[in-house]
Amino acid sequence: MYEPLEKAIVLLKNQGYEINDPWDVVSAFEDKVARFAGSKYAVATDSCTNALFLCLKYLNATGKIRIPKNTYISVPQAIVHAGCGVEFVNKDWLGMYPLDPYPVIDSATCFHEGMYVDDSYQCLSFHYRKILAIAKGGMILTNDKKAVEWFKLAEYEGRDRRVPHAEMPAPTMMGWNMYMPPEQAARGIWLFEKVIKGETLGHSGGSHTYKDLTEYEIFNNLQ
């Protein structure tokens, strides 16, 4: 077994988590981040970009979505791939901003205790340049239990991640491959234990961090 995963399992068991399967490590990571951020639930994904995409698909988003013109390049791409249009606006932001008019929040550069915005679908990034720098990964914070059930199926090809492929029943929906594997969650748990004791929590970026995306030709026809 992957050594960091073994160590994470020992740590979690010592903290009172019941770990019977590697996927329990992912669930424990989700639980830790949800409690820390203040949401009822959290769903781990393979990136913040795909977390945003899944939120928009869950909400059946349509029409144009307004986002700051100074943001990460994958955000408007995720919006377009979700079937929506993009409207860039002049907006200063730090740590997070909404995908207006939907209750989806890009919080890729924010990580601190109690950060959850009530009744939103708040997306986190664990990119190597972020506060909790797993290397690649994301998470959706939400109070919507129904959404959690949908996200967990949607990110794992429409099936239960705990059921081995050889025993898999027919998928219940057309899904995507956007889940966080246990090995990444294990690294996230170790980093989380260190980060929450440090002094680097807060914001790691904002509108000042990113280029004006309207300068890129590929986005010219989105406005």
Side-chain angles (χ1 to χ4, degrees), residues 29-175:
F29 184 37
E30 292 168 336
D31 178 70
K32 282 177 173 289
V33 174
R35 289 174 180 271
F36 177 76
S39 60
K40 290 182 181 179
Y41 312 103
V43 178
T45 64
D46 63 347
S47 70
C48 181
T49 300
N50 285 338
L52 293 168
F53 172 85
L54 289 172
C55 290
L56 294 175
K57 296 301 288 186
Y58 174 71
L59 294 171
N60 293 313
T62 59
K64 282 200 172 184
I65 293 177
R66 293 179 290 278
I67 59 171
K69 65 179 184 178
N70 295 89
T71 189
Y72 189 55
I73 193 171
S74 71
V75 178
Q77 292 174 338
I79 292 171
V80 171
H81 289 315
C84 300
V86 177
E87 179 182 345
F88 291 111
V89 298
N90 289 312
K91 180 181 178 68
D92 291 330
W93 60 276
L94 182 65
M96 66 176 76
Y97 62 85
L99 273 60
D100 186 36
Y102 293 96
V104 179
I105 299 178
D106 179 1
S107 295
T109 61
C110 180
F111 194 72
H112 62 81
E113 191 170 9
M115 64 178 286
Y116 178 63
V117 177
D118 286 342
D119 300 321
S120 72
Y121 303 90
Q122 190 166 355
C123 300
L124 311 182
S125 173
F126 304 133
H127 185 268
Y128 76 94
R129 291 179 179 171
K130 303 304 193 306
I131 294 171
L132 193 62
I134 294 175
K136 191 174 190 294
M139 198 167 286
I140 303 169
L141 306 177
T142 182
N143 287 341
D144 185 345
K145 185 177 181 180
K146 183 178 178 182
V148 170
E149 295 170 353
W150 188 91
F151 290 142
K152 289 191 174 183
L153 286 175
E155 71 172 5
Y156 202 73
E157 299 97 17
R159 59 194 179 101
D160 186 342
R161 66 191 185 188
R162 294 178 180 274
V163 179
H165 185 76
E167 303 170 15
M168 181 187 72
T172 58
M173 64 179 290
M174 293 294 292

Side-chain angles (χ1 to χ4, degrees), residues 186-207:
R187 176 168 169 75
I189 287 168
W190 279 108
L191 290 173
F192 179 80
E193 297 295 328
K194 294 179 181 179
V195 164
I196 61 173
K197 297 174 183 176
E199 299 179 355
T200 59
L201 302 183
H203 307 107
S204 62
S207 53

